[in-house]
């Protein structure tokens, strides 16, 4: 049985993952509008991933006999100054989510909830991967530059990363 404190914290995390899904959806739309179709596909896929992260928490709570709370949908940021601003915002968001996951794990330790602590290890690994991915993207954008054909090459680069991720997921599912 999950303690009241753990339930509250898990519900906050559900809301955070749901909000992340909405943020990436808005970012994907911004990219589509800017004719950056590779970045858009990457971000649509990431929005789906965040929804999956939310569902994973919802199911864990339900299986544990607790009540997950479906979060309200808040309006995410819709406009970005440029593609670097967009990915830097995404990276900052990931850092915030990582801190929340770490706090949640810490709470599990305090409450001696080994099961939830163990369940959350998947999120700890996932956050590390996402932080690394966005930091790498930002470095590449800075290297390539957004002038002239730079934007085109960035879009192709992000599209290639998206395709690679899709392929890896399909291989794992097969
Ligand atoms: Fe939910 O993986 Fe990042 O935020």
């Amino acid at each position: 049985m999950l303690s009241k404190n753990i339930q509250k914290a898990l519900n906050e995390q559900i809301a955070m993952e749901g909000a992340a899904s909405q943020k990436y959806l808005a970012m994907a739309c911004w990219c589509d509008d800017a004719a950056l179709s590779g970045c858009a596909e990457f971000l649509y896929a990431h929005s789906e991933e965040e929804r999956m992260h939310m569902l994973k928490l919802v199911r864990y709570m339900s299986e544990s006999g607790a009540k997950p709370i479906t979060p309200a949908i808040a309006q995410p940021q819709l406009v970005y100054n440029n593609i670097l601003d967009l990915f830097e915002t995404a990276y900052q968001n990931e850092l915030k989510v990582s801190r929340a996951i770490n706090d949640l794990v810490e709470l599990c330790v305090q409450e001696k909830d080994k099961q939830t602590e163990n369940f959350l290890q998947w999120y700890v690994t996932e956050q590390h991967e996402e932080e690394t991915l966005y930091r790498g993207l930002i470095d590449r954008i800075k290297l390539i530059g957004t002038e002239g054909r730079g934007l085109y090459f960035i879009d192709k680069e992000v599209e290639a990363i998206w395709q690679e991720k899709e392929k890896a997921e399909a291989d794992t599912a097969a």
Side-chain angles (χ1 to χ4, degrees):
M1 188 62 194
L2 301 174
S3 74
K4 285 269 174 286
N5 284 341
I6 296 283
Q7 289 189 41
K8 184 174 173 287
L10 286 174
N11 271 318
E12 282 167 7
Q13 196 59 40
I14 285 173
M16 205 170 199
E17 303 290 343
S21 176
Q22 291 297 106
K23 285 176 192 175
Y24 286 118
L25 180 60
M27 287 179 183
C29 293
W30 184 90
C31 289
D32 251 344
D33 193 47
L36 296 166
S37 58
C39 291
E41 290 305 334
F42 172 89
L43 290 159
Y44 281 126
H46 201 159
S47 173
E48 280 299 315
E49 265 183 43
E50 295 297 346
R51 181 176 156 73
M52 184 273 281
H53 299 172
M54 178 182 71
L55 285 176
K56 212 172 158 72
L57 284 156
V58 165
R59 287 185 182 272
Y60 177 76
M61 286 191 80
S62 290
E63 285 161 13
S64 309
K67 281 196 177 61
I69 298 169
T70 305
I73 295 178
Q75 175 80 78
Q77 180 179 343
L78 299 176
V79 180
Y80 296 89
N81 296 326
N82 49 50
I83 196 68
L84 182 59
D85 176 39
L86 183 148
F87 280 115
E88 274 175 343
T89 305
Y91 178 56
Q92 289 306 320
N93 191 54
E94 290 304 332
L95 292 180
K96 219 182 278 175
V97 174
S98 295
R99 282 195 293 272
I101 294 288
N102 291 346
D103 288 349
L104 200 40
V105 172
E106 191 54 41
L107 181 67
C108 292
V109 173
Q110 283 165 23
E111 304 251 334
K112 297 189 171 59
D113 184 342
K114 283 280 168 203
Q115 288 180 10
T116 308
E117 186 187 341
N118 188 45
F119 165 75
L120 288 170
Q121 289 314 306
W122 183 89
Y123 288 83
V124 172
T125 307
E126 182 70 13
Q127 281 310 121
H128 172 71
E129 282 171 13
E130 291 183 349
E131 277 184 33
T132 307
L133 175 66
Y134 280 101
R135 201 169 36 241
L137 275 176
I138 290 167
D139 286 347
R140 269 187 258 189
I141 292 172
K142 285 183 179 165
L143 203 65
I144 297 170
T146 53
E147 301 303 316
R149 290 192 189 155
L151 213 45
Y152 173 80
F153 288 121
I154 289 166
D155 196 47
K156 288 289 156 217
E157 185 93 4
V158 176
E159 186 174 32
I161 294 170
W162 164 66
Q163 282 169 344
E164 222 171 89
K165 277 186 89 185
E166 293 282 296
K167 190 179 173 308
E169 270 160 38
D171 289 351
T172 316

